[in-house]
Amino acid sequence: MPETISLTVNGNRITVPSGATVAVAMMSASAPCRVSVSGKPRGPLCGMGICFECRAVIDGVPHRRTCQILCEPGMDVCTQ
Ligand code: FES
């Protein structure tokens, strides 16, 4: 298993430690997971799959809970 993984967050290439969640990758890229209906940036709250505040688009699939998904090489993550 590689020690680091490279992926794209909102078009920016970043590297995270192997085993990091997508939520961690988005926070390290200073990217909100989603934007609320009032336009406010939102991010992880519970970190354990309950609150759904961390939803983002992963490889074109919306509403993925980033706190529950590990980063994979070449993954494309976007703020929802
Ligand atoms: S942070 Fe609550 S579901 Fe992901």
Side-chain angles (χ1 to χ4, degrees):
M1 178 180 255
E3 291 184 15
T4 60
I5 293 173
S6 293
L7 67 158
T8 302
V9 176
N10 289 345
N12 299 309
R13 195 85 171 154
I14 66 165
T15 301
V16 295
S18 188
T21 64
V22 176
V24 167
M26 294 192 84
M27 286 189 290
S28 71
S30 299
C33 290
R34 67 184 185 90
V35 177
S36 72
V37 291
S38 62
K40 295 197 166 61
R42 306 301 296 244
L45 182 62
C46 73
M48 57 185 184
I50 295 173
C51 72
F52 287 68
E53 287 293 318
C54 65
R55 289 171 289 157
V57 180
I58 299 176
D59 292 334
V61 180
H63 304 293
R64 305 293 310 276
R65 285 177 290 173
T66 60
C67 72
Q68 299 296 297
I69 299 169
L70 296 179
C71 292
E72 295 178 12
M75 193 176 250
D76 183 33
V77 182
C78 295
T79 296
Q80 179 166 305

